Amino acid sequence: MTSSHTDCHYCLQSLRGKKYALREENAYCVTCYDSLFANPCEECKQPIECDSKDLAYKGRHWHEGCFKCTKCNRSLVEKPFAAKDELLLCTECYSDEYSSKCFHCQKTIMPGSRKMEFKGSSWHESCFVCQYCRQPLGTKPLITKGNENYCVPCFEKQFAHHCYSCKKVITSGGVTYHDQPWHKECFVCAGCKTQLSGQRFISKDEYPYCVDCFSKLYAKKCAACKKPITALGGAKFVSFEERQWHGECFNCAKCSVSLVGQGFLTRQDDVLCHGCASA
């Protein structure tokens, strides 16, 4: 650049007919400018003179000819590159050394490409899709079965159990009754509709009943105390000629001795031990 300025701002030598460089509106001869302001090259450590192209990246500087891939030595000028531990690498070398492999296709996920991560593995965005509908999962809710990922609607369609009562999907928990899945809140007594999950119940004609409802609706009545005989918990009962007794109620009508496992006689509606019957 031929100067219209008179002297170098630093050494004060005349700039007439000489090249010079401007910095903050001040003119410097080439020698002074290089000694005062030239950035050192990261590669060769020499100053990058004012008549050389200065390539900068994150506060560091290179000569154009020094701006190369650390591994393969190819020029990175006007080419995509990546940095690792302050070293510059072309995308091919970076991928070979550091890039993740896609869990699905096993190909390298190139620098600059969007990478999806899930359960410690990486995918290309285009590979991270629902196994069934093949739509991208992105950040949508998903469910994994084996090593395959599904969007929630497809998983429910393919694998989820549907409640035997309300026919809706059971997303967690549930109860199995007669080999059929039920929501806990749908598994209720056929009589009073009380939830039966975790409670004792009795089956009748494929329907569950709480103990109280079953007793009221179906249980035989004890011939002695007139209360229902449910036989729950291993309770013993006695049956004779279409009549039933609780084990503890099957006693002689006169002396009240237990007749369980003993001989007895009947007289009208009473049962008697042999002693009372012969008296």
Side-chain angles (χ1 to χ4, degrees), residues 2 4-5 31 33 43 96 112 124 178 186 226 228 247 259 264 276:
T2 302
S4 61
H5 293 74
T31 302
Y33 185 90
E43 178 64 22
D96 290 343
H124 291 110
H178 281 189
C186 292
K226 309 305 180 186
L259 297 177
F264 63 91
C276 290

Side-chain angles (χ1 to χ4, degrees), residues 25-256:
E25 298 185 358
N26 295 316
Y28 296 84
C29 65
V30 172
T31 302
C32 288
Y33 185 90
D34 289 344
S35 65
L36 291 171
F37 305 116
N39 295 306
C41 175
E42 287 287 326
E43 178 64 22
C44 69
K45 310 305 179 186
Q46 298 300 312
I48 303 173
E49 296 88 351
C50 63
D51 57 352
S52 299
K53 183 178 284 189
D54 185 336
L55 301 180
Y57 175 70
K58 289 190 175 180
R60 298 188 292 159
H61 300 265
W62 288 263
H63 290 105
E64 185 175 13
C66 294
F67 195 61
K68 300 177 181 179
C69 172
T70 303
K71 186 175 181 183
C72 70
N73 213 36
R74 287 183 293 183
S75 174
L76 298 176
V77 177
E78 296 184 358
K79 293 180 181 178
F81 64 91
K84 180 69 175 178
D85 300 328
E86 297 189 354
L87 300 177
L88 301 184
L89 297 164
C90 64
T91 54
E92 291 83 357
C93 290
Y94 183 90
S95 298
D96 290 343
E97 292 289 329
Y98 304 110
S99 289
S100 304
K101 294 289 191 296
C102 176
F103 184 83
H104 176 71
C105 69
Q106 296 302 309
K107 294 180 180 179
T108 299
I109 301 174
M110 299 296 287
S113 300
R114 190 173 183 189
K115 179 173 68 173
M116 309 304 297
E117 295 186 347
F118 180 65
K119 290 188 175 180
S121 297
S122 302
W123 280 263
H124 291 110
E125 185 178 23
S126 59
C127 292
F128 193 58
V129 298
C130 171
Q131 182 67 23
Y132 185 74
C133 69
R134 310 308 299 175
Q135 294 300 307
L137 289 169
T139 56
K140 297 176 184 176
L142 61 92
I143 301 174
T144 299
K145 182 176 177 64
N147 288 326
E148 297 175 339
N149 301 317
Y150 297 84
C151 64
V152 173
C154 286
F155 183 87
E156 291 179 350
K157 187 185 298 182
Q158 294 298 305
F159 304 109
H161 295 297
H162 290 75
C163 177
Y164 182 77
S165 175
C166 70
K167 311 305 179 186
K168 295 180 180 178
V169 170
I170 299 173
T171 56
S172 63
V175 175
T176 299
Y177 172 67
H178 281 189
D179 296 326
Q180 298 292 345
W182 302 60
H183 288 114
K184 287 184 178 180
E185 58 271 23
C186 292
F187 188 61
V188 298
C189 172
C192 66
K193 307 305 178 184
T194 301
Q195 287 191 24
L196 296 175
S197 179
Q199 307 296 321
R200 293 195 302 176
F201 65 90
I202 302 171
S203 296
K204 175 68 175 176
D205 298 330
E206 297 187 358
Y207 291 98
Y209 292 86
C210 66
V211 175
D212 288 342
C213 285
F214 183 85
S215 297
K216 293 175 182 176
L217 294 171
Y218 300 110
K220 301 291 185 180
K221 301 297 190 294
C222 176
C225 71
K226 309 305 180 186
K227 293 180 180 179
I229 300 173
T230 62
L232 286 175
K236 295 180 180 180
F237 69 97
V238 177
S239 179
F240 178 72
E241 293 183 352
E242 299 183 357
R243 290 190 294 167
Q244 289 79 32
W245 292 261
H246 293 109
E248 62 273 18
C249 295
F250 191 57
N251 302 323
C252 175
K254 285 191 174 183
C255 68
S256 299

Side-chain angles (χ1 to χ4, degrees), residues 3-29:
S3 176
S4 61
H5 293 74
T6 305
D7 302 319
C8 172
H9 184 72
Y10 187 72
C11 70
L12 304 180
Q13 292 187 15
S14 174
L15 296 176
R16 293 183 182 279
K18 298 179 180 179
K19 290 183 178 181
Y20 70 94
L22 288 174
R23 184 179 178 89
E24 296 177 355
E25 298 185 358
N26 295 316
Y28 296 84
C29 65

